[in-house]
Amino acid sequence: MTLKYFRLPQDASDPLHLGNEKEENVHQHQSFSWKSLILSLLAVVNFSLTVSIIVMLREKPTPDGFAKVDSLTTTWNQFWWNTAYSPKNHSDSDDLWEAILPSHGFVAMDRKWAEQRQWPASMYLPSDHSKGVYLLEAYHQLHCLRILRNTFWEAVEHRPFTYHPSSHMEHCFDTLRQSVMCNADNTPLYTFGDKTAGNGQLHRCRDWNELRDFATANTACYRDSVGDIPLGEHFGYCDDGVDGLTAP
């Protein structure tokens, strides 16, 4: 008599069968989770590399002779159509504009340190020839703004000029033009034709307090003058670390 064996169908209600099935599902789920995690990480790395390559291709290499400076912290500031510096009656802000000290931006840096940072050669600090004197660009622009504003209102109101119009004025206009084009702020300002374009909108800025603190820590103790005075007489006058401006 020949015996035949048949594989019994597994009963879905069999506890042993259910246990094996659950264990298999757990292993499959764990395997799927690890695969998903690895794939996600690979996607993030690939995206980061792609972005880095695009940025590298868009940015030109830093040329020799470009003065290396530390990056300032990014801040997000609202721009307003009118502030304390632009009231309806301009004379109400005269004191604020007069309080701005562009001279705060004159710094004295160790000449060897400056050379290592590719800063161009500059004049000696009269009291210490191991240091060179520099004017930070933002304070240079403030210098021009103050002169232009002052001269504008003196011309409008037919008052004697503090700074007689000259080629220096043209330099200031052109300095601001170059700065605007250099920074190329592409913030899209909303407008409804009511002279309030972009009022209250956020802008990506640099931390002014950090710039002021750098200038304070490395001050050349320089003072401005309206009239011409010997170069050496500009130095030896340290301010109290205040440049007359309050960061937003």
Side-chain angles (χ1 to χ4, degrees):
M1 178 177 177
T2 305
L3 297 176
K4 294 184 179 180
Y5 296 91
F6 298 93
R7 185 175 180 175
L8 293 175
Q10 289 183 326
D11 186 352
S13 62
D14 184 354
L16 180 60
H17 168 68
L18 288 176
N20 292 336
E21 186 176 82
K22 288 180 179 179
E23 184 176 353
E24 184 178 351
N25 288 339
V26 168
H27 286 303
Q28 290 178 349
H29 178 71
Q30 291 176 341
S31 176
F32 178 77
S33 298
W34 277 108
K35 288 180 180 178
S36 299
L37 178 60
I38 292 172
L39 288 173
S40 297
L41 290 174
L42 287 174
V44 170
V45 171
N46 183 59
F47 175 77
S48 299
L49 288 174
T50 301
V51 171
S52 298
I53 291 172
I54 291 174
V55 170
M56 289 174 63
L57 290 174
R58 290 186 62 184
E59 291 185 353
K60 296 181 180 180
T62 303
D64 293 336
F66 176 78
K68 297 178 182 178
V69 295
D70 295 331
S71 298
L72 298 175
T73 302
T74 296
T75 62
W76 300 94
N77 300 334
Q78 289 174 288
F79 279 21
W80 300 101
W81 189 267
N82 289 108
T83 70
Y85 289 88
S86 56
K88 290 183 178 180
N89 184 350
H90 77 86
S91 61
D92 291 343
S93 63
D94 285 347
D95 289 343
L96 286 176
W97 284 96
E98 189 63 28
I100 298 174
L101 295 178
S103 57
H104 186 80
F106 277 92
V107 295
M109 311 304 298
D110 178 81
R111 298 180 70 82
K112 292 183 178 179
W113 178 91
E115 183 179 0
Q116 292 172 352
R117 305 273 287 188
Q118 297 183 176
W119 289 31
S122 190
M123 66 171 286
Y124 292 109
L125 182 67
S127 61
D128 185 352
H129 285 197
S130 70
K131 294 184 178 182
V133 176
Y134 299 86
L135 173 58
L136 302 177
E137 179 61 63
Y139 285 95
H140 175 217
Q141 293 164 16
L142 285 174
H143 161 76
C144 279
L145 270 177
R146 289 180 75 248
I147 287 179
L148 293 174
R149 179 187 182 275
N150 198 58
T151 304
F152 172 80
W153 286 116
E154 286 174 345
V156 169
E157 298 175 347
H158 305 289
R159 291 186 278 128
F161 290 123
T162 302
Y163 306 93
H164 192 78
S166 64
S167 59
H168 193 174
M169 302 293 180
E170 289 300 315
H171 153 74
C172 279
F173 277 117
D174 197 37
T175 289
L176 298 178
R177 175 195 64 82
Q178 292 179 70
S179 178
V180 168
M181 294 183 69
C182 176
N183 289 287
D185 188 346
N186 59 352
T187 302
L189 305 181
Y190 75 85
T191 180
F192 297 102
D194 54 0
K195 298 183 179 180
T196 57
N199 188 46
Q201 279 192 237
L202 285 172
H203 287 245
R204 185 195 300 271
C205 303
R206 294 169 182 165
D207 193 327
W208 185 265
N209 291 321
E210 287 185 9
L211 183 67
R212 180 198 296 115
D213 291 345
F214 175 84
T216 300
N218 298 282
T219 181
C221 293
Y222 181 94
R223 64 167 177 170
D224 281 324
S225 68
V226 174
D228 291 332
I229 61 175
L231 183 59
E233 293 185 16
H234 284 281
F235 294 91
Y237 298 87
C238 298
D239 58 42
D240 56 2
V242 175
D243 59 12
L245 287 163
T246 301

